[in-house]
């Protein structure tokens, strides 16, 4: 039994190491050990195993590690016709060309939201939205949408997290979610990031289930409250079309 626990722990630690590369391309042994809070000897053994399977590559000149090509092989099977981020990409590009700002697609994962697809604005000054980024669910336009259409138990769980992190007022928070559902969209101005604004709408499947949140974001001095409201009809129409494309 103890051996089984150790095996599972090793798998979890190996996955933690891979997740270190979500935001950076290369890391040294020391940097990885600091990120996963493990001894360098343990990390070195795990890296050797990952390298042997092709999930990690080591640069002999710099002694730094980066993700291996085996992950690309796995991701090739992820991109199928039923992958929401792929299916909705043309509509996202169409919306970006209409509005001129960055368009993102978010889904809920536990008490976080994850950006699963993004189309960057073509403007010189723009909001860059990296795919795979995780953000808290208690702040931001897309968070409001994802929570407004979620079960009460999920809302309460996020409220507990938010209360511990930033002291969110429960009644105000729930009223905000109710208002979001009533309006069918949500906005945010510098709630999560200084100088950034966003407007988001739900993508509902044909069965009426929330599939994702569609968001348009950009600099707050360009994406003003008036501009966001003016874009709402286009965003709602894009979200409606996307919903009909999902099975």
């Amino acid at each position: 039994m103890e051996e089984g626990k150790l095996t599972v722990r090793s798998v979890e630690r190996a996955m933690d190491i891979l997740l270190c590369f979500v935001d950076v391309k290369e890391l040294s042994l020391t940097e990885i050990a600091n990120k996963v809070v493990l001894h360098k000897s343990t990390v070195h053994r795990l890296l050797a195993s990952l390298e042997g399977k092709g999930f990690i590559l080591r640069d002999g000149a710099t002694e730094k590690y980066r993700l291996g090509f085996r992950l690309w092989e796995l991701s090739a099977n992820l991109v199928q016709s039923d992958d929401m981020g792929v299916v909705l990409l043309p509509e996202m590009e169409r919306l970006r060309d209409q509005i001129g700002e960055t368009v993102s697609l978010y889904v809920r994962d536990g008490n976080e939201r994850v950006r699963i697809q993004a189309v960057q604005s073509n403007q010189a000054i723009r909001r860059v939205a990296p795919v795979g980024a995780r953000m808290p669910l208690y702040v931001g336009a897309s968070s409001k949408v994802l929570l407004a259409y979620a079960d009460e138990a999920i809302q309460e769980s996020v409220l507990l997290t938010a209360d511990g992190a930033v002291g969110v007022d429960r009644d105000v928070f729930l009223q905000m979610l109710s208002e979001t559902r009533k309006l069918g969209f949500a906005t945010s101005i510098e709630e999560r990031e200084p100088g950034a604004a966003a407007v988001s709408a739900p993508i509902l499947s044909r069965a009426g289930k929330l599939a994702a949140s569609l968001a348009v974001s950009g600099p707050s001095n360009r994406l003003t409250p008036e501009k966001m409201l003016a874009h709402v009809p286009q965003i709602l129409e894009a979200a409606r079309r996307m919903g009909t494309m999902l099975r």
Side-chain angles (χ1 to χ4, degrees):
M1 185 68 177
E2 186 62 29
E3 183 180 348
K5 290 182 179 178
L6 289 173
T7 302
V8 172
R9 191 177 305 140
S10 297
V11 173
E12 291 176 344
R13 288 173 172 177
M15 290 190 291
D16 287 339
I17 288 175
L18 292 175
L19 290 172
C20 288
F21 294 90
V22 169
D23 299 316
V24 293
K25 292 182 179 180
E26 291 186 332
L27 289 168
S28 68
L29 172 62
T30 300
E31 289 170 332
I32 296 172
N34 289 337
K35 278 178 170 287
V36 298
V37 194
L38 290 171
H39 291 298
K40 287 199 288 187
S41 59
T42 302
V43 173
H44 187 270
R45 289 196 300 271
L46 291 168
L47 283 168
S49 296
L50 290 168
E51 186 179 0
K53 291 293 185 180
F55 291 102
I56 288 287
L57 292 176
R58 181 174 61 88
D59 189 321
T62 63
E63 290 298 319
K64 288 199 171 185
Y65 296 85
R66 64 179 185 272
L67 293 177
F69 295 111
R70 186 54 59 89
L71 288 169
W72 290 103
E73 295 175 17
L74 291 175
S75 66
N77 290 323
L78 176 65
V79 183
Q80 301 293 340
S81 60
D82 59 350
D83 184 288
M84 182 163 53
V86 176
V87 172
L88 302 183
L89 183 58
E91 283 295 330
M92 294 175 67
E93 292 174 336
R94 177 178 174 178
L95 183 62
R96 184 271 314 276
D97 294 341
Q98 287 179 336
I99 295 178
E101 301 291 354
T102 295
V103 178
S104 299
L105 201 64
Y106 293 93
V107 296
R108 184 182 66 82
D109 184 19
N111 285 350
E112 295 179 309
R113 59 180 161 114
V114 183
R115 185 183 292 118
I116 62 170
Q117 186 61 281
V119 178
Q120 311 296 341
S121 167
N122 291 325
Q123 303 203 48
I125 300 176
R126 60 188 178 183
R127 179 139 189 279
V128 177
V131 173
R134 288 176 172 270
M135 285 146 275
L137 266 178
Y138 51 78
V139 65
S142 285
S143 292
K144 296 173 189 176
V145 167
L146 291 172
L147 275 185
Y149 290 82
D151 296 336
E152 289 185 13
I154 295 171
Q155 294 177 357
E156 292 293 343
S157 175
V158 172
L159 267 170
L160 289 174
T161 303
D163 187 49
V166 292
V168 171
D169 183 280
R170 183 181 184 281
D171 293 336
V172 172
F173 190 81
L174 292 176
Q175 178 59 37
M176 176 186 66
L177 297 183
S178 175
E179 188 71 12
T180 296
R181 187 145 187 166
K182 179 181 177 182
L183 293 172
F185 70 92
T187 62
S188 64
I189 300 176
E190 299 187 339
E191 289 185 11
R192 191 184 63 83
E193 182 181 338
V199 54
S200 177
I203 297 176
L204 302 175
S205 69
R206 295 180 184 182
K209 300 274 189 179
L210 178 69
S213 68
L214 174 67
V216 172
S217 60
S220 55
N221 61 351
R222 192 167 67 219
L223 204 56
T224 62
E226 294 76 19
K227 268 283 180 65
M228 285 193 284
L229 288 177
H231 290 321
V232 163
Q234 292 169 297
I235 296 170
L236 290 177
E237 175 58 22
R240 185 196 65 77
R241 285 198 303 269
M242 291 180 187
T244 63
M245 296 169 67
L246 300 177
R247 296 181 180 179

